[in-house]
Amino acid sequence: MDFPGLFYCKLNSILIYLLNMAYKPTIGLEIHAELKTNSKMFCSCKNDPDEKRPNFNICPVCTGQPGSLPVANAEAVKMVIKTGLALNCQISENSKFDRKNYFYPDLPKGYQISQYDMPLCQKGYLEIDGHKIGITRIHLEEDTGKLIHPEGADYSLVDLNRAGIPLMELVTESDLTSGKEAKEFAQELQIILRYLGVSFADMEKGQMRVEVNISLSKTGKLGTKVEIKNLNSFKTVQKAIDFEIERQQDILESGGKIIQETRGWHDKKEITFSQREKEEAHDYRYFPEPDLPPLHFYKIFIEEIKNEIPELPEQKRKRFTKEYSLDKSAVEIFIINKDLSEYFEKVISELDEWIEQNTDNEFKKIVKIASNYLVSDVQGLLQNKQFVETEFKIVPENFAELIKIICKEEISSKIAKMVLSDMFHTGSDPSSIIDSNNWGQMSDDGELEKIIKEIILKNPKAVKDYKSGKQNAVQFLAGQVMSQTRGTANPEKVGQLLIKLLTNLSDSL
Ligand SMILES: [Zn+2]
């Protein structure tokens, strides 16, 4: 039987299309963050993630003693609502706590107080590079204790300092499509949590934990989900996802099947490995926590929390780009380091009055110089340590003064770096550093002319070269002048005077 030519052709191209179509990854994240409240979630024990003495911050409530009763920490509830508002979520007017029942030695009560069907926040989103990543829910629960397995011992120890620390759990929709995007989502969330002041969100310290679920599919139907746990840095989130996409793709392409399981990340080998195969969904026998009353929030309460939300990273990104015309990489350094950006704005406000007398172009130039010295030179002096204003010896006034001196070209950029380094270590003001070292730019034209004349006399060969048209002879002579003046002369002025004197010299010959 003959197929019509056109139909045959179409069928062929569809087959080729299907064969070449790559598997599309579908990625969702589950992120836990410890809240930085003063006390724990359901008792008055101190919430101190840095406490080293085991079982120090504990009481009958957080160790699950019979007859003890929990009381919800209002501050923790507010923090989760604040986060939900910052992430465009709907805040539930009615909410409640539930018991999630399971047995594990780090969970003294035999259940975890969490939230099941009425989480505090739902249906939000966070935009990453113009792509909206849906947030399914954010709820509040308590953290578990920590198990310690002494090497070689046939027993384990439990430390309950962490048990009962308020823990926020955020679940995203499966909207992410790559390791890079997942990493950027987690990074942006960390910045937001820090701006809101709700969590230190340090991944290395386990204050923020990211779990990934990922599946691959060629069709609209979702593939088998694999979970990846124990990712303790943003870099490993990206690497683990990229590795997993490739691993699953290889299996599927060779006709294999993906097993539903939980995998861990091997840091040294840079691979994921099977930790346990997932049985059918665990039955946690959730039921409402009978010892805690349901929660009801009035609109005015939510409004009040909304008013406490500070400028968020994305708003700041846009404002910094527009107001200060800074490039993307400088803006990003300021976004990540809130303290540094606040310091920068203090410096700019110190310069404000002076800037007002300048044109728009000059304003941009001054701002750029201030930003450059902060994001490159100061960062260099800090040797990769985080900028913390309270530990920084240079007050904004003095930093602004230095920028003024640089802009007025009263010192060369080489001297400016020396002055900055001195200020960084001593906290002195720039003028007195310049005066005491005699670093002021030579403003006396007469004296500079005298030095240039001496240099010309001392270097007859360079003068001869100049006369025979070799332009780099001027650079050589300028270098001599700069070294003679220990870098305090204005290089532009040196160049101009040199040419003037050399021309006069040629004319007079
Ligand atoms: Zn306690």
Side-chain angles (χ1 to χ4, degrees):
M1 188 181 145
D2 262 358
F3 282 110
L6 185 66
F7 177 70
Y8 206 66
C9 211
K10 248 190 175 170
L11 193 67
N12 234 352
S13 61
I14 289 171
L15 272 175
I16 289 167
Y17 173 73
L18 281 176
L19 281 172
N20 287 337
M21 199 169 78
Y23 285 94
K24 204 175 141 267
T26 303
I27 304 160
L29 302 176
E30 206 177 289
I31 301 178
H32 284 91
E34 281 178 355
L35 300 176
K36 57 176 199 188
T37 49
N38 293 324
S39 56
K40 288 192 182 179
M41 188 59 226
F42 299 112
C43 60
S44 56
C45 287
K46 202 173 167 201
N47 170 8
D48 181 4
D50 295 324
E51 179 57 65
K52 295 281 177 296
R53 291 164 289 187
N55 296 308
F56 189 75
N57 292 320
I58 58 171
C59 76
V61 176
C62 56
T63 55
Q65 304 302 311
S68 63
L69 286 172
V71 177
N73 183 333
E75 195 53 35
V77 173
K78 273 176 83 175
M79 284 177 169
V80 173
I81 293 178
K82 197 183 256 186
T83 308
L85 289 168
L87 296 172
N88 314 292
C89 288
Q90 293 172 12
I91 310 301
S92 311
E93 273 184 45
N94 295 296
S95 183
K96 67 176 168 66
F97 288 104
D98 299 277
R99 283 190 185 178
K100 181 181 179 179
N101 298 281
Y102 67 94
F103 175 77
Y104 205 68
D106 63 6
L107 189 70
K109 292 197 289 285
Y111 60 86
Q112 179 189 28
I113 304 180
S114 179
Q115 294 194 286
Y116 183 51
D117 54 346
M118 291 167 83
L120 287 170
C121 318
Q122 295 183 75
K123 294 182 187 154
Y125 66 87
L126 173 60
E127 220 170 281
I128 301 294
D129 267 338
H131 182 203
K132 269 187 191 171
I133 312 297
I135 290 161
T136 317
R137 57 186 280 152
I138 311 175
H139 72 247
L140 183 53
E141 58 189 32
E142 55 179 338
D143 210 345
T144 61
K146 259 185 200 165
L147 288 182
I148 297 145
H149 312 286
E151 226 180 295
D154 59 354
Y155 57 85
S156 292
L157 298 167
V158 65
D159 177 5
L160 296 178
N161 280 337
R162 200 179 68 175
I165 283 184
L167 194 63
M168 181 177 81
E169 182 180 320
L170 179 150
V171 182
T172 75
E173 293 289 310
S174 300
D175 288 343
L176 297 141
T177 54
S178 71
K180 183 173 168 274
E181 196 174 45
K183 183 189 96 177
E184 286 172 359
F185 179 92
Q187 273 174 325
E188 187 71 359
L189 180 68
Q190 181 191 56
I191 302 172
I192 292 172
L193 296 179
R194 288 178 174 175
Y195 274 42
L196 294 173
V198 302
S199 175
F200 294 111
D202 190 328
M203 280 190 80
E204 273 167 32
K205 287 185 180 169
Q207 291 159 340
M208 179 168 159
R209 301 163 221 158
V210 179
E211 285 166 31
V212 175
N213 59 66
I214 173 171
S215 67
L216 257 61
S217 171
K218 268 188 180 179
T219 62
K221 204 171 152 244
L222 281 181
T224 308
K225 255 189 205 175
V226 168
E227 247 177 36
I228 319 171
K229 288 195 171 179
N230 303 328
L231 302 167
N232 59 3
S233 74
F234 295 118
K235 226 192 268 168
T236 56
V237 169
Q238 180 171 3
K239 279 186 186 170
I241 290 174
D242 290 346
F243 176 86
E244 199 53 27
I245 290 174
E246 252 181 65
R247 185 189 73 89
Q248 293 188 20
Q249 197 163 306
D250 287 351
I251 294 175
L252 291 169
E253 267 167 9
S254 59
K257 255 183 128 181
I258 304 295
I259 305 163
Q260 187 182 345
E261 61 183 345
T262 301
R263 298 178 74 85
W265 173 251
H266 197 296
D267 237 348
K268 281 205 182 109
K269 293 187 189 162
E270 301 211 324
I271 55 165
T272 64
F273 61 93
S274 180
Q275 281 187 319
R276 62 186 147 94
E277 284 189 21
K278 204 158 188 171
E279 321 89 60
E280 281 311 295
H282 206 309
D283 181 9
Y284 291 115
R285 293 181 294 121
Y286 277 101
F287 65 83
E289 166 60 59
D291 292 337
L292 288 164
L295 304 164
H296 177 78
F297 306 111
Y298 291 104
K299 285 209 168 74
I300 188 163
F301 174 74
I302 294 169
E303 273 310 304
E304 270 170 23
I305 299 174
K306 204 177 207 168
N307 291 335
E308 286 173 15
I309 295 178
E311 180 181 41
L312 293 170
E314 189 53 24
Q315 295 165 315
K316 194 174 202 165
R317 224 172 247 128
K318 285 186 180 141
R319 185 169 66 82
F320 264 51
T321 310
K322 194 168 163 244
E323 242 171 71
Y324 303 123
S325 311
L326 297 174
D327 61 52
K328 213 177 161 190
S329 64
V331 170
E332 227 28 58
I333 290 173
F334 284 129
I335 293 301
I336 291 167
N337 199 328
K338 195 166 168 246
D339 240 25
L340 187 71
S341 68
E342 283 167 3
Y343 184 85
F344 166 72
E345 296 211 277
K346 281 182 197 165
V347 171
I348 297 299
S349 87
E350 286 289 338
L351 289 166
D352 242 9
E353 216 175 288
W354 182 62
I355 284 173
E356 265 178 32
Q357 305 156 7
N358 288 284
T359 62
D360 200 34
N361 265 346
E362 277 163 342
F363 168 77
K364 279 184 192 160
K365 196 183 131 199
I366 296 162
V367 167
K368 197 167 182 205
I369 289 174
S371 139
N372 279 351
Y373 273 93
L374 277 176
V375 302
S376 67
D377 296 89
V378 167
Q379 296 295 307
L381 288 163
L382 284 166
Q383 297 177 322
N384 292 330
K385 263 190 277 165
Q386 177 97 340
F387 175 92
V388 181
E389 195 183 337
T390 48
E391 293 166 13
F392 192 59
K393 285 188 181 153
I394 309 173
V395 294
E397 241 177 301
N398 283 344
F399 200 91
E401 190 60 36
L402 174 68
I403 299 304
K404 250 193 229 181
I405 293 171
I406 295 167
C407 290
K408 288 188 195 158
E409 297 185 355
E410 288 171 7
I411 52 173
S412 65
S413 62
K414 192 180 148 207
I415 299 284
K417 286 182 203 307
M418 285 153 72
V419 175
L420 180 66
S421 166
D422 198 325
M423 289 167 78
F424 178 81
H425 292 109
T426 64
S428 303
D429 70 282
S431 305
S432 56
I433 294 170
I434 293 166
D435 285 349
S436 64
N437 289 289
N438 209 6
W439 280 341
Q441 188 128 270
M442 201 164 282
S443 48
D444 184 344
D445 283 5
E447 197 182 336
L448 186 57
E449 213 171 301
K450 210 174 107 196
I451 293 172
I452 293 177
K453 277 181 183 159
E454 273 169 29
I455 297 287
I456 289 176
L457 281 174
K458 273 190 209 158
N459 294 283
K461 188 177 173 292
V463 176
K464 208 174 137 200
D465 286 349
Y466 172 77
K467 275 192 261 177
S468 63
K470 285 183 187 159
Q471 283 302 314
N472 54 5
V474 179
Q475 277 154 30
F476 169 77
L477 290 168
Q480 298 293 306
V481 177
M482 290 312 283
S483 118
Q484 180 79 22
T485 59
R486 294 178 306 125
T488 60
N490 178 337
E492 221 172 291
K493 198 168 268 175
V494 170
Q496 286 163 2
L497 274 174
L498 252 174
I499 291 180
K500 190 182 118 193
L501 292 173
L502 285 169
T503 318
N504 286 349
L505 198 63
S506 312
D507 289 349
S508 65
L509 286 174

